[in-house]
Amino acid sequence: MQRTYIDELKIGEKQKIQGFVDAKRDQKTIQFIIIRDTTGKIQVTIFKPDLPEIADVFTNLNVNSVVTLEGKVVENASVKLGGKEFIPESVKVESYAEVSPIDEHTAIDMRLDYRWLDLREGNKDLIFKIQTCCAKAMREFLLERKFVEIHTPKIIAAASESGSEVFELKYFDRRAYLAQSPQFYKQMAMCAGLERIFECAPVFRAEESYTSRHATEFTGFDIEFSYIDSYEDVMKMEEELLTYMLTKVKEEYGEVIKEKFGKEVIVPTLPFPRMKLEDVYKELEERYDFIVDDCEKGDLTTEAEKLVYQLAQDKYNHEFMFITDYNAKKRAFYHMRNEQGVPQGYDLIYRGVEITTGAQREHRYEILKAQAEEKGLKKDVEFYLEFFKYGCPPHGGFGIGLDRITMLLLDLPSIKEAMFIFRGPNRLMP
Ligand code: ATP
């Protein structure tokens, strides 16, 4: 007999279900067993005098065991779970589970040790269904606009951008590194004439960060496209992409997110607000008495980032804010600069956390080379500079942290909860 998913069960017909034993209540004459599969849960009711053999099986197994049941669904208004119950005719135990070492009260680090059990609790599978929806919507948006999906190498010969923050590894008899961004290869694709590309792939950062928003390996959704006039085109592409994505997420999961995560999915209005970094600091001081040292004003501090959410809401009734006009010292060498030396790029802040860095890139060989040298980069970027010697269209792009945006969208306390498996300075297992 073919298996039926729990959310597709029909009243009255003999059907087969398969799943985990989610909960078990064993009373004197009756057992209530909750079975869970990827689509939902159902109560299995066993009246012991009628089904002594099946009752015996359930008496002797723990929650989390995996079973196959055949039987019928009947309506029963007194059952809280959907007003129906499954009356089994047979049971087969596929796998006996030991008693779980964790529960919903266990601290996050121990829960991560047993991540496969942790993910069975609560609504955690939903996190990944929603993340899938985010990535699918972004893909859809880009594919409709002539973008091509590429896959760039993660094992690379030279530290990609700055030399710091990269993991080194032994590569036969030489040294290699794990890519800290697909940046150079995205731009190589522009030089190759691919014009519009994106990639959704792992990114590695050897940063000893212990914050709720940093991981040493995460998933980057990276976009690069040619023939732009300025970084305004890049911001426009990103705000439209995110609006499309949030529209789709709201359509498909808006209600569930409100109910299970207590957070409203807000489809943003276009255009997103844009502010220069200098003006942000001015307004943070005027409105909220927030003051930072002058030496920190070339970049946005973490505390300022949080307050930007307040500012975006108070000033623009918005959850996003593009911040532009950073100090060139704080930005990557490949960002284009205007005549005044201002980098032609931005960070995008969503709900008080940076989710993206984007920019128009410098595509003119001589200028790019000079900017690299100014940052003390020479040997490591030689191969990259070569790309620009043979003609390159003006281009720009951005990278979105998929795990970060998931965390913010669902209001999760840490990026650890938004990733299937978290990697941090102290975590390499499971
Ligand atoms: P941060 O300032 O937060 O450390 P960054 O400036 O190093 O980030 P970028 O190099 O611009 O970030 O990376 C692009 C995007 O990738 C970020 O906006 C963020 O969404 C995500 N990201 C960056 N670093 C991490 C990390 N360690 N863990 C998870 N996501 C990250």
Side-chain angles (χ1 to χ4, degrees):
M1 182 183 270
Q2 270 226 325
R3 174 205 188 188
T4 304
Y5 283 113
I6 287 172
D7 72 345
E8 290 171 0
L9 284 169
K10 295 191 184 70
I11 307 290
E13 283 172 33
K14 183 165 176 184
Q15 290 153 108
K16 177 163 112 180
I17 59 171
Q18 294 188 297
F20 288 104
V21 175
D22 188 67
K24 185 173 112 168
R25 199 142 54 89
D26 209 339
Q27 296 179 346
K28 202 152 177 248
T29 55
I30 200 160
Q31 279 175 334
F32 300 106
I33 312 290
I34 307 295
I35 302 294
R36 185 186 69 247
D37 75 11
T38 186
T39 66
K41 295 178 185 180
I42 188 149
Q43 175 177 301
V44 176
T45 307
I46 301 152
F47 187 58
K48 289 181 175 174
D50 288 352
L51 301 165
E53 282 158 21
I54 295 179
D56 255 11
V57 170
F58 281 106
T59 301
N60 293 313
L61 59 69
N62 292 320
V63 165
N64 277 320
S65 298
V66 177
V67 294
T68 298
L69 291 161
E70 289 183 9
K72 286 183 184 148
V73 180
V74 297
E75 278 174 310
N76 181 347
S78 66
V79 177
K80 280 198 198 116
L81 204 58
K84 56 192 175 192
E85 60 193 344
F86 190 93
I87 310 297
E89 290 168 19
S90 70
V91 58
K92 179 178 170 219
V93 181
E94 306 289 353
S95 160
Y96 284 94
E98 289 185 23
V99 175
S100 173
I102 61 163
D103 60 29
E104 71 270 33
H105 306 296
T106 308
I108 178 80
D109 276 319
M110 178 151 173
R111 282 198 280 118
L112 291 188
D113 289 341
Y114 292 93
R115 184 63 166 156
W116 69 97
L117 295 180
D118 180 45
L119 287 173
R120 291 183 200 169
E121 294 269 348
N123 310 303
K124 297 201 179 109
D125 56 337
L126 256 178
I127 296 171
F128 302 99
K129 289 176 181 169
I130 294 163
Q131 194 171 68
T132 302
C133 179
C134 292
K136 174 176 176 252
M138 291 199 282
R139 270 205 175 85
E140 226 167 61
F141 176 94
L142 294 165
L143 294 175
E144 276 168 17
R145 285 163 184 76
K146 296 190 163 56
F147 278 80
V148 174
E149 183 164 9
I150 63 166
H151 305 281
T152 66
K154 303 305 157 205
I155 303 176
I156 56 175
S160 21
E161 286 173 32
S162 62
S164 59
E165 299 181 358
V166 289
F167 289 110
E168 237 178 70
L169 61 118
K170 196 170 150 354
Y171 192 72
F172 305 108
D173 58 352
R174 36 198 288 226
R175 201 177 306 175
Y177 304 89
L178 291 178
Q180 61 156 195
S181 120
Q183 189 58 36
F184 290 177
Y185 294 101
K186 286 202 298 177
Q187 292 190 258
M188 188 196 203
M190 299 301 100
C191 296
L194 287 177
E195 287 199 21
R196 299 185 148 214
I197 59 98
F198 71 97
E199 177 173 32
C200 180
V203 176
F204 303 90
R205 298 279 165 98
E207 297 170 327
E208 250 192 290
S209 296
Y210 297 90
T211 74
S212 59
R213 60 186 197 289
H214 286 98
T216 49
E217 178 178 353
F218 61 92
T219 302
F221 206 106
D222 269 273
I223 285 119
E224 201 74 27
F225 57 108
S226 289
Y227 300 107
I228 61 169
D229 291 327
S230 82
Y231 70 111
E232 185 53 48
D233 294 339
V234 182
M235 292 195 283
K236 192 159 178 294
M237 182 69 80
E238 178 159 20
E239 65 192 2
E240 286 175 5
L241 170 77
L242 290 173
T243 303
Y244 182 86
M245 188 260 276
L246 287 169
T247 305
K248 292 286 167 184
V249 170
K250 192 175 178 79
E251 272 169 25
E252 214 166 316
Y253 290 102
E255 286 305 312
V256 178
I257 293 173
K258 203 187 309 173
E259 185 193 332
K260 310 277 187 195
F261 299 93
K263 202 78 190 163
E264 183 87 35
V265 178
I266 298 171
V267 175
T269 51
L270 288 167
F272 292 5
R274 292 143 164 74
M275 280 184 83
K276 291 182 179 169
L277 183 61
E278 192 188 335
D279 297 334
V280 168
Y281 275 121
K282 258 190 223 144
E283 288 228 19
L284 292 185
E285 187 172 339
E286 277 166 25
R287 284 177 185 256
Y288 316 113
D289 290 327
F290 178 80
I291 299 172
V292 294
D293 277 355
D294 278 349
C295 65
E296 294 205 89
K297 284 191 174 164
D299 204 355
L300 196 64
T301 65
T302 306
E303 226 183 310
E305 215 170 272
K306 280 190 204 134
L307 262 185
V308 162
Y309 185 23
Q310 189 73 46
L311 179 61
Q313 292 197 299
D314 294 347
K315 194 171 156 97
Y316 300 102
N317 189 25
H318 216 279
E319 294 189 298
F320 289 90
M321 174 100 86
F322 282 121
I323 300 183
T324 65
D325 293 64
Y326 283 78
N327 188 313
K329 286 201 185 94
K330 306 283 183 187
R331 305 304 266 186
F333 76 91
Y334 51 78
H335 287 198
M336 185 180 271
R337 299 175 193 165
N338 68 8
E339 276 130 38
Q340 288 73 44
V342 180
Q344 301 297 286
Y346 64 87
D347 274 4
L348 178 59
I349 315 297
Y350 174 48
R351 294 182 171 170
V353 178
E354 179 206 315
I355 53 159
T356 296
T357 299
Q360 174 160 13
R361 322 299 187 186
E362 182 50 71
H363 63 285
R364 296 161 297 182
Y365 175 75
E366 292 298 340
I367 303 174
L368 185 59
K369 185 164 168 259
Q371 288 185 185
E373 279 167 7
E374 178 201 298
K375 298 249 179 204
L377 300 165
K378 227 169 170 183
K379 207 109 198 76
D380 278 351
V381 298
E382 252 166 30
F383 84 102
Y384 163 75
L385 290 174
E386 281 290 302
F387 306 161
F388 300 87
K389 274 190 182 166
Y390 306 94
C392 175
H395 63 278
F398 54 92
I400 301 175
L402 187 62
D403 319 277
R404 257 198 211 174
I405 210 167
T406 308
M407 166 184 88
L408 295 163
L409 179 66
L410 302 181
D411 201 24
L412 303 172
S414 162
I415 199 163
K416 294 174 183 175
E417 308 266 5
M419 309 182 79
F420 174 57
I421 302 287
F422 170 73
R423 284 284 177 266
N426 290 335
R427 182 162 290 277
L428 265 176
M429 288 285 272

